[in-house]
Amino acid sequence: MKHIAESTVRRLSLYLRFLEEFEAHGHQTISSGELASQGGTTSAQVRKDLSFFGSFGKRGLGYSVNDLSSRLREILGLGRPWKVVIVGAGKIGAALAQYRGFRERGFRIVGIYDVDPQSIGLALDGVTVRDQRDMEADLASLHAEIALLSVPAEVAQPLTDRLVAAGIGAILNFASTPLHVPPHVTLRSVNMALELEILSYALVNRDA
Amino acid sequence: MKHIAESTVRRLSLYLRFLEEFEAHGHQTISSGELASQGGTTSAQVRKDLSFFGSFGKRGLGYSVNDLSSRLREILGLGRPWKVVIVGAGKIGAALAQYRGFRERGFRIVGIYDVDPQSIGLALDGVTVRDQRDMEADLASLHAEIALLSVPAEVAQPLTDRLVAAGIGAILNFASTPLHVPPHVTLRSVNMALELEILSYALVNRDA
DNA sequence: GTTACTTTGTGAAATCATTCACAAGCACCC
DNA sequence: GGGTGCTTGTGAATGATTTCACAAAGTAAC
């Protein structure tokens, strides 16, 4: 298939969220316009995004909420659960472990690792923090596909290398340093300080 | 000034980080190519980004690490401290409160608010959690410019409305729901479940 | 001072993403 | 069954961002 822009995938994810809300409210169909107004985009954008994957709507009517949800879940790879490990059981790691949004979407935390003896052995949301030395062996037996990396910047790259060597498929990085991974591994970063700096820029350039 | 793309601002922020590392290593000058290789971009991109704001380099030599850092800090509005409040003292709010990256960049947490009597009164990294009912009065006296919103999705929009009414300038939203703000308020959202879904998409479409 | 070498700054070209605009398809009503 | 009113799907147009490519400007060596 043609390459799909990240912005498109991000919006599909949002659409799915609205569809689930609509479903909960008992609605059967939804138009591209309704979907757009929720997500702060345009109806043309919605239709274009969907058109990359097929035609799911009925002209004159809109989209079946149920059908479109299933199709989106399928497209996004949410049809099956994903096994996730958390590397770093500090404050951020702990917050991630208990975050309900992950489980709701089929992301199951199957392991949490740290080096601090104080943390090892603690149960975070039902999962026991294990020694980072056990990480490779666990990954080999659990076959987790995704890692959440919430460790200090200094150790982020070495741990990334270990995860990659252990066969991880994707990493979500919360450390404030850019990481390097081989092309077959997918990497995304969430950098909160950077988000604040973008806000700072916007504040000083408000009327520019 | 001409409108600057968000992607450009984001990269400027990254450049500043590398410059600080270079500074710490005692380097005096840096070329666009060196700056680019750190951030996973190209030297042309670096030069284009900087060119929107002026010409800071010396041909044949590169950029003075010191000068360029100062100029970037100025451009990004980091020359002065920003007052930040955290709304929602749950796990994510607590993790944000203790996050060192904020303070290092001049973002000072001046208030934390919650509704849970169990949380109110707790000290998180030196700041006492206060009752959410005190929020408006505090904002009026503190003049905080930025709010970090880490509350359940259901109450995110009403709290946003209260922050806007109280004169907040920018909001960083961690709730997994899109928010609406008037145009004079800057809003950014960090949606961790959505980031995981983008990884999920990448995993199932790896070889597509 | 001239030559060789390096790196910036920037128009122009290329690529990528969004918006427009409208034909085609479907439901509903009379 | 034909008319009316919506809404989709999609080429074409526009707009935005990135990459290219090169003249201009600097350093350093002799």
Side-chain angles (χ1 to χ4, degrees):
Chain A
M1 183 188 304
K2 208 172 122 294
H3 175 256
I4 302 297
E6 185 203 301
S7 50
T8 294
V9 178
R10 164 169 259 112
R11 282 190 300 265
L12 292 181
S13 225
L14 278 176
Y15 302 155
L16 176 55
R17 222 165 233 105
F18 303 140
L19 285 169
E20 285 170 351
E21 263 178 49
F22 256 68
E23 219 162 9
H25 284 70
H27 292 77
Q28 302 286 310
T29 61
I30 189 171
S31 71
S32 59
E34 290 170 292
L35 220 32
S37 71
Q38 292 289 314
T41 181
T42 66
S43 63
Q45 180 77 81
V46 172
R47 295 198 302 275
K48 181 66 89 181
D49 285 341
L50 296 176
S51 77
F52 293 130
F53 299 94
S55 19
F56 309 129
K58 280 224 189 338
R59 297 178 186 220
L61 244 176
Y63 301 88
S64 150
V65 173
N66 253 283
D67 287 2
L68 190 54
S69 310
S70 325
R71 298 296 279 113
L72 285 182
R73 260 187 286 269
E74 194 182 313
I75 290 166
L76 292 170
L78 302 175
R80 60 185 181 98
W82 292 100
K83 280 174 275 186
V84 179
V85 295
I86 297 177
V87 181
K91 287 269 168 40
I92 294 177
L96 294 172
Q98 64 92 55
Y99 183 58
R100 324 198 74 227
F102 293 154
R103 190 162 314 185
E104 281 164 13
R105 286 315 183 94
F107 297 101
R108 295 208 313 237
I109 312 295
V110 297
I112 308 180
Y113 303 92
D114 206 307
V115 287
D116 179 8
Q118 298 262 298
S119 299
I120 296 167
L122 285 179
L124 293 178
D125 209 53
V127 182
T128 303
V129 178
R130 286 166 61 72
D131 193 306
Q132 220 164 66
R133 280 174 292 198
D134 300 328
M135 193 173 76
E136 279 86 352
D138 285 8
L139 282 172
S141 62
L142 293 168
H143 293 104
E145 296 98 350
I146 302 175
L148 307 183
L149 192 60
S150 50
V151 297
E154 311 84 71
V155 294
Q157 185 64 56
L159 276 166
T160 297
D161 297 342
R162 283 175 61 188
L163 287 164
V164 168
I168 203 81
I171 298 175
L172 185 55
N173 170 41
F174 288 86
S176 65
T177 187
L179 298 177
H180 299 274
V181 294
H184 66 276
V185 176
T186 304
L187 170 72
R188 297 190 55 76
S189 290
V190 172
N191 190 328
M192 293 177 295
L194 199 128
E195 300 294 330
L196 271 190
E197 289 175 28
I198 298 176
L199 289 183
S200 167
Y201 174 83
L203 285 171
V204 294
N205 293 282
R206 229 199 286 250
D207 32 39
Chain B
M1 184 191 304
K2 204 172 124 293
H3 174 256
I4 302 296
E6 186 205 301
S7 50
T8 295
V9 178
R10 164 169 258 111
R11 281 190 300 266
L12 292 181
S13 226
L14 277 177
Y15 302 155
L16 176 55
R17 221 164 234 108
F18 303 140
L19 285 168
E20 286 170 351
E21 262 178 51
F22 256 69
E23 219 161 9
H25 283 70
H27 292 79
Q28 302 286 309
T29 60
I30 189 171
S31 71
S32 58
E34 290 171 292
L35 219 32
S37 70
Q38 292 288 315
T41 180
T42 66
S43 63
Q45 180 78 79
V46 171
R47 295 197 301 277
K48 180 65 88 181
D49 285 341
L50 296 175
S51 78
F52 293 130
F53 299 93
S55 18
F56 309 129
K58 280 226 189 337
R59 297 177 186 219
L61 207 68
Y63 302 88
S64 151
V65 172
N66 252 283
D67 287 2
L68 189 53
S69 312
S70 325
R71 299 293 281 113
L72 285 182
R73 262 187 286 269
E74 196 183 312
I75 290 166
L76 292 170
L78 301 175
R80 58 182 180 102
W82 292 100
K83 280 174 275 185
V84 178
V85 295
I86 296 176
V87 181
K91 287 269 168 40
I92 294 177
L96 294 172
Q98 64 92 53
Y99 184 58
R100 322 197 76 225
F102 292 154
R103 190 164 312 185
E104 280 164 15
R105 287 315 184 93
F107 297 101
R108 295 208 314 239
I109 311 294
V110 297
I112 308 180
Y113 302 92
D114 207 308
V115 286
D116 177 9
Q118 299 261 299
S119 300
I120 296 167
L122 286 178
L124 294 177
D125 209 54
V127 182
T128 303
V129 179
R130 286 167 58 77
D131 194 305
Q132 220 164 66
R133 279 174 293 200
D134 299 329
M135 193 174 76
E136 277 87 351
D138 285 9
L139 282 172
S141 62
L142 293 168
H143 293 104
E145 296 99 350
I146 300 175
L148 307 184
L149 193 60
S150 48
V151 298
E154 311 83 70
V155 295
Q157 185 64 56
L159 276 166
T160 298
D161 297 342
R162 282 174 61 187
L163 287 164
V164 168
I168 203 78
I171 298 175
L172 185 55
N173 170 41
F174 288 85
S176 64
T177 186
L179 299 176
H180 299 273
V181 295
H184 66 277
V185 176
T186 303
L187 170 71
R188 294 191 57 76
S189 290
V190 172
N191 190 329
M192 294 176 294
L194 199 126
E195 300 293 330
L196 272 191
E197 290 176 26
I198 297 175
L199 290 184
S200 168
Y201 173 82
L203 285 171
V204 293
N205 294 279
R206 229 197 285 248
D207 32 38

